[in-house]
Amino acid sequence: MTVTTLATTTLAAGLPEPTAGRLAGSWQLDPYALVLVLVLGGLYGWGVVRLARRGERWPVARTVAFAGLGLGAVVVATMSGLAVYDHELFWPAAVQNIVLDLIAPLGLALGDPLSLALRALPEDGRTARRLRAALSGRVLRLLTFPLVSTVLVLSSELAIYFTPYFSTALRHDPLHELMYLQLIVTGSLFVLPMLTREELLPSWCSHPVRALLVLVDGLVDAVPGIVVMTSGTLIAGGWYTSQHRPWGPSPEQDQMLGGGLMLSIAELVGLPFMIAVFAEWVRAERGRTAALDAQLDRELAVVAPAAAPTPAGRASEDTGNTGNSGNTDNTGSTDTAGEPAVRRAEPAVPQPELTRPWWETDQGAVGERFRRGR
């Protein structure tokens, strides 16, 4: 595999026409992205190691998703052949942006870094208290509110392509790096609350509602690709037309290709996102069922000894019945032989209130299907 960097490539001669082999074998170092990946990966690894030292296990699948899909997507978008050719063609830049906006946040969210941080940090420590305060603060609650976060993702994409933002970022590397960070952050504002086990969403946002919101978000994510593909105005047209490359599609065809790839990737990402939401839904229902079953078992364990008569109680009752047969009571009246003596009613033993089974009280679709099945 050959490693190509923009520093060693003669820009005057231009880059060769991209092929699958060249895109896979061409890489360049992005120091800003590298620092971000190392910091995020280091913090996540520290949390996993800290839990392991306490004898707690963190799911390997979450670690793989965070490092492989989340951080891996950041590396591919900012250092692979996409980054090498993003100044020559529009479509690599479009794929870059959609990867940072959709795929990288999905991988990071599947790793659930917020739950890991809260479990790894000392519960009474200052950092943990500040993190909990930030998660419950009004600012983050507003930014992660489903409709707000969806609008932020859409407006971020449209602002990049249909303002001078993108063309300026192509000319100034620091602004380009800031655009990368913006895409990751805005994408995470929607995806992370949907998949984390921490309660960042309103109480009405149950898992069925989340599935519906993910479906709506998938439709919204298709909008930038459609608009870019059908727009009659060239995006960063002055920059790309000035490259004078002897190969590849025309600027118009390049933009149509980029928009089509944005649309395709956005729709493909929607499927695993929906599967992840359903998986969290199933996990939450299983946890709730297990908790209710354990509560029922505890209550039945208390009721059983109180309701069952003891052997000593039965013996005293039998003796009392035998001795009272034909005897005279305190008032001088004699019981007729063979007739049981009238006993005074004993006070009822107070019974603890039982919790009804979850399928009888659950108002959701799962509870209704379970009741019909029984």
Side-chain angles (χ1 to χ4, degrees):
M1 181 181 72
T2 60
V3 179
T4 304
T5 63
L6 288 180
T8 58
T9 301
T10 306
L11 294 180
L15 291 171
E17 183 175 4
T19 61
R22 289 194 180 111
L23 287 173
S26 300
W27 292 82
Q28 70 174 17
L29 179 64
D30 188 327
Y32 298 99
L34 181 62
V35 169
L36 177 64
V37 169
L38 292 178
V39 169
L40 293 180
L43 290 174
Y44 196 91
W46 172 84
V48 174
V49 171
R50 188 176 179 87
L51 289 182
R53 289 177 177 175
R54 294 206 306 248
E56 302 179 29
R57 294 186 59 186
W58 183 253
V60 177
R62 290 194 178 276
T63 304
V64 172
F66 185 88
L69 184 59
L71 299 182
V74 176
V75 171
V76 169
T78 59
M79 303 187 204
S80 70
L82 297 175
V84 172
Y85 280 91
D86 66 348
H87 284 63
E88 294 288 327
L89 291 167
F90 173 77
W91 73 259
V95 173
Q96 264 187 316
N97 294 347
I98 207 69
V99 168
L100 293 174
D101 197 31
L102 298 181
I103 298 180
L106 178 60
L108 298 176
L110 288 173
D112 201 0
L114 296 180
S115 296
L116 175 62
L118 290 175
R119 285 179 57 182
L121 291 170
E123 188 173 354
D124 56 348
R126 180 183 302 178
T127 305
R129 290 198 301 268
R130 288 181 177 178
L131 179 58
R132 291 190 185 93
L135 294 179
S136 59
R138 293 183 178 180
V139 175
L140 190 61
R141 293 284 181 173
L142 175 62
L143 293 177
T144 56
F145 190 81
L147 298 179
V148 175
S149 57
T150 300
V151 172
L152 285 175
V153 172
L154 178 61
S155 59
S156 173
E157 286 275 356
L158 295 180
I160 287 174
Y161 294 120
F162 295 99
T163 67
Y165 188 176
F166 183 60
S167 58
T168 306
L170 290 173
R171 294 179 173 87
H172 302 282
D173 288 340
L175 184 59
H176 206 177
E177 301 295 336
L178 182 62
M179 185 186 74
Y180 289 159
L181 183 61
Q182 170 191 328
L183 290 167
I184 296 173
V185 171
T186 54
S188 299
L189 287 175
F190 180 81
V191 180
L192 191 58
M194 291 288 175
L195 298 179
T196 184
R197 297 185 180 182
E198 303 302 317
E199 295 297 331
L200 296 182
L201 297 174
S203 57
W204 55 264
C205 196
S206 60
H207 284 90
V209 176
R210 295 183 191 189
L212 178 61
L213 291 173
V214 170
L215 179 62
V216 174
D217 183 72
L219 299 176
V220 174
D221 288 338
V223 172
I226 295 174
V227 174
V228 167
M229 187 169 51
T230 59
S231 175
T233 303
L234 287 179
I235 299 173
W239 173 271
Y240 287 114
T241 55
S242 65
Q243 299 307 305
H244 302 296
R245 44 184 171 75
W247 46 260
S250 65
E252 292 80 8
Q253 294 173 335
D254 183 24
Q255 182 167 315
M256 289 187 63
L257 178 60
L261 289 172
M262 289 172 60
L263 176 61
S264 301
I265 296 174
E267 296 308 306
L268 289 176
V269 171
L271 179 59
F273 191 6
M274 183 70 75
I275 294 174
V277 170
F278 274 101
E280 286 296 317
W281 185 2
V282 171
R283 183 199 61 79
E285 287 294 334
R286 286 178 177 174
R288 183 182 175 188
T289 301
L292 287 174
D293 288 343
Q295 183 179 356
L296 285 171
D297 291 341
R298 290 192 299 268
E299 292 176 348
L300 289 174
V302 174
V303 172
T310 60
R314 294 195 193 97
S316 62
E317 290 176 4
D318 294 342
T319 304
N321 292 340
T322 304
N324 289 336
S325 180
N327 292 341
T328 304
D329 60 10
N330 294 336
T331 60
S333 59
T334 303
D335 295 334
T336 306
E339 294 183 0
V342 178
R343 303 189 192 95
R344 294 181 181 178
E346 297 180 358
V349 178
Q351 304 293 332
E353 183 181 354
L354 295 178
T355 301
R356 298 171 63 187
W358 69 269
W359 58 81
E360 294 184 5
T361 59
D362 184 79
Q363 301 300 320
V366 176
E368 183 179 353
R369 288 198 299 268
F370 198 91
R371 288 192 294 272
R372 289 201 302 264
R374 294 179 67 86

